[in-house]
Amino acid sequence: MEGSHMEFLVVFCYSMLFAFVTASYGNSPIVSFDEGYAPLFGDSNLVIHRDGKSVHLSLDERTGSGFVSHDLYLHGYFSASIKLPADYTAGVVVAFYMSNGDMFQNNHDEIDFEFLGNIRGKNWRIQTNVYGNGSTNIGREERYGLWFDPSDDFHQYSIAWTDSQIIFYVDNVPIREVTRTESMGGDFPSKPMTLYATIWDASDWATNGGKYRVNYKYAPYVAKFSDLVLHGCAVDPIELVAKCENDEKGIASGVTPAQRIKMENFRKKHMTYSYCYDRIRYKSPPSECVINSQEAERLRKFDPVTFGSGRHHGKRHRHTRGSQTEAASSF
């Protein structure tokens, strides 16, 4: 791909999508499954319901399952309401993420929402992650608890991606903001990506570093998806030509002051891990990290080994990836 072509594509999509700085994500159009997606793997473990706007993904001893968007997108707002499996879910990972690993195998980009299962009586955890240009050697994970049980009902999980910023939302509350810096270089996702949703067996690492594995006595594990939103700049996969329309609008830029207060409160109460404060992995924080002294102190109290001296040399975080047919996302 020629650099000038890609640069033009970025500028064109950016100008189309962000002509309107403020917008309501609630007005983003919901697409039917067939209109926006196709099955990825899992055969009968993927069930499209009669309304055509909801889909169930299940994991059993035979296989997991997943679906993928028809189109590639360069920037946009992407969302789904998800209800996670209940009871014993150790080793199970549900992922809602963007990737272009099938097109750029050695320098892929990725934006991840990952839901990590747990033993009975322990809550699901959410993990977010960002990769650009194949920068998998620098994990940018953050992990959180939630203020609700995500297996009780549907909750909305959303990604807003622009040329300069990525924002993760839970029920329209921003929980993480990744701002592009000059020092990140190509580590910020900048190439067109496809949207994926998967459920799979990650027993080797997902729960207490693999101590607790998937127990198929509790299968099938069913993740339910509805209210699917694909609101972005679609890109032709062959010509890499943008298909944005002139009336494309509705992607907000940035976090409002009121939203920032909510985000800071969420992170104060619910964030349990951030790569920026991990003294075991990084002697000095990666250059894009903005260190918040209150966050640092709270995490240090939560886990003094990881976020304190950094002298422990036990198990480290690891990045794991299945094939596209067993698919999935990282960590």
Side-chain angles (χ1 to χ4, degrees), residues 265-321:
N265 286 338
F266 170 86
R267 295 173 68 82
K268 180 178 179 180
K269 295 177 182 178
H270 300 290
M271 186 169 72
T272 60
Y273 177 83
S274 172
Y275 75 103
C276 284
Y277 304 100
D278 189 332
R279 299 287 298 277
I280 295 177
R281 298 172 74 188
Y282 304 111
K283 292 181 179 179
S284 298
S287 57
E288 76 273 7
C289 289
V290 177
I291 300 302
N292 180 307
S293 60
Q294 292 181 332
E295 282 186 353
E297 180 61 24
R298 190 181 65 79
L299 289 173
R300 192 177 298 117
K301 290 179 179 178
F302 177 77
D303 184 347
V305 172
T306 301
F307 305 113
S309 66
R311 294 176 181 173
H312 178 67
H313 298 289
K315 290 184 179 179
R316 298 185 177 218
H317 295 273
R318 53 183 297 197
H319 177 273
T320 307
R321 173 165 294 284

Side-chain angles (χ1 to χ4, degrees), residues 141-161:
E141 303 95 338
E142 287 192 350
R143 196 175 305 123
Y144 329 88
L146 289 168
W147 64 95
F148 54 81
D149 183 344
S151 67
D152 279 347
D153 205 349
F154 285 89
H155 291 271
Q156 186 181 21
Y157 305 92
S158 311
I159 297 167
W161 171 37

Side-chain angles (χ1 to χ4, degrees), residues 13-14 16-25 27-29 74-78 159-163 165 167 169 229-233 247-254:
C13 283
Y14 187 81
M16 290 295 99
L17 282 171
F18 304 108
F20 291 78
V21 175
T22 59
S24 170
Y25 288 147
N27 295 329
S28 297
L74 184 62
H75 310 140
Y77 175 75
F78 310 95
I159 297 167
W161 171 37
T162 78
D163 181 55
Q165 198 172 55
I167 306 172
Y169 295 85
V229 174
L230 291 169
H231 190 49
C233 181
D247 62 350
E248 190 75 66
K249 63 181 81 172
I251 309 301
S253 176

Side-chain angles (χ1 to χ4, degrees), residues 40-181:
L40 178 64
F41 71 105
D43 301 323
S44 60
N45 282 16
L46 184 154
V47 178
I48 303 169
H49 282 254
R50 275 182 275 181
D51 65 358
K53 294 184 178 181
S54 60
V55 58
H56 291 184
L57 298 180
S58 63
L59 167 69
D60 56 27
E61 289 180 293
R62 184 177 60 88
T63 184
S65 52
F67 59 86
V68 58
S69 63
H70 291 307
D71 288 326
L72 283 163
Y73 294 91
L74 184 62
H75 310 140
Y77 175 75
F78 310 95
S79 182
S81 291
I82 306 172
K83 183 178 180 182
L84 297 173
D87 202 11
Y88 182 98
T89 55
V92 178
V93 169
V94 176
F96 179 68
Y97 67 106
M98 305 191 73
S99 178
N100 49 30
D102 55 341
M103 294 183 63
F104 303 97
Q105 295 182 9
N106 296 322
N107 61 337
H108 82 286
D109 302 328
E110 197 168 309
I111 304 172
D112 300 336
F113 256 122
E114 296 168 302
F115 306 89
L116 311 181
N118 220 327
I119 59 175
R120 182 181 287 129
K122 299 289 186 179
N123 295 326
W124 282 84
R125 297 143 300 146
I126 291 185
Q127 181 165 278
T128 60
N129 208 348
V130 172
Y131 292 109
N133 207 32
S135 57
T136 55
N137 60 316
I138 302 178
R140 292 183 168 88
E141 303 95 338
E142 287 192 350
R143 196 175 305 123
Y144 329 88
L146 289 168
W147 64 95
F148 54 81
D149 183 344
S151 67
D152 279 347
D153 205 349
F154 285 89
H155 291 271
Q156 186 181 21
Y157 305 92
S158 311
I159 297 167
W161 171 37
T162 78
D163 181 55
S164 60
Q165 198 172 55
I166 297 164
I167 306 172
F168 295 87
Y169 295 85
V170 176
D171 286 343
N172 294 317
V173 175
I175 66 168
R176 181 181 183 183
E177 178 184 37
V178 180
T179 300
R180 186 176 195 164
T181 65

